[in-house]
Amino acid sequence: MAHLPQISEAEFEVMKIVWKYAPISTNEITERLVQTTTWSPKTIQTLIKRLVTKGVLSYEKQSRVFVYTPLVDEAEYIGQESSTFLNRFYDGNITAMLSAYIDNDKLSKTEIAELRSLLSKD
C-alpha cells in the first residue's frame, strides 16, 4: 500500500461526505456539513482546498460549479490509519489492543460476539 497523505480530523469529516456522495459539489458538501458541525461555509471551503492540495481530492469545473471526487479510497485510508494506530499504541499487537478494549469495557457484548463470529470464519 502506498503511503497516503495525513489528513486532520476536520478534513476527515469532509472526506466522509465526499466518499459517500461523490461526485459532489462545493455547495452540497457545505450544505451537509453545516447541518452536523458549527463550521462556517468559508471554513469548509478552506478544508476542501487543503484536501485538493494534499492530493486527496480532485475537482472538475462544471459550468460555474466545482465538483469533487476522491483520489484516495476510503477503505485504503482507514486501513492505513488503523495500522498506524495499532503500531503506535500497541507495537502492532492486535491481541494487546483488543485485550485493552475488553478490559476497559470499551466493547459491548454484541461487539465481542461479532468479533468471535469474524474470527471463527475460515
Side-chain angles (χ1 to χ4, degrees):
M1 165 175 20
H3 181 71
L4 302 173
Q6 186 79 26
I7 63 173
S8 69
E9 292 283 332
E11 292 165 342
F12 186 70
E13 291 302 312
V14 174
M15 286 305 297
K16 289 193 301 190
I17 299 295
V18 176
W19 280 319
K20 187 170 184 177
Y21 300 104
I24 185 169
S25 72
T26 307
N27 288 343
E28 292 169 317
I29 295 170
T30 302
E31 287 171 16
R32 292 186 182 283
L33 287 171
V34 295
Q35 293 173 16
T36 59
T37 67
T38 58
W39 302 337
S40 71
K42 184 82 171 156
T43 298
I44 295 166
Q45 290 174 3
T46 299
L47 292 168
I48 293 168
K49 286 178 189 172
R50 285 184 191 165
L51 290 165
V52 169
T53 301
K54 290 180 178 186
V56 179
L57 287 181
S58 68
Y59 67 90
E60 180 180 298
K61 191 169 183 180
Q62 297 178 358
S63 298
R64 295 170 45 170
V65 176
F66 288 93
V67 177
Y68 297 88
T69 54
L71 293 174
V72 171
D73 180 71
E74 180 179 17
E76 186 178 359
Y77 186 79
I78 291 171
Q80 174 183 285
E81 290 300 301
S82 298
S83 179
T84 300
F85 175 83
L86 183 62
N87 288 327
R88 181 173 177 197
F89 294 102
Y90 297 97
D91 293 325
N93 185 337
I94 196 163
T95 303
M97 183 187 79
L98 289 173
S99 292
Y101 274 80
I102 291 167
D103 291 345
N104 294 307
D105 295 325
K106 301 281 185 189
L107 296 176
S108 68
K109 291 187 186 305
T110 303
E111 290 168 325
I112 292 169
E114 288 173 4
L115 283 171
R116 280 192 179 113
S117 175
L118 283 171
L119 292 171
S120 67
K121 289 183 181 177
D122 290 325

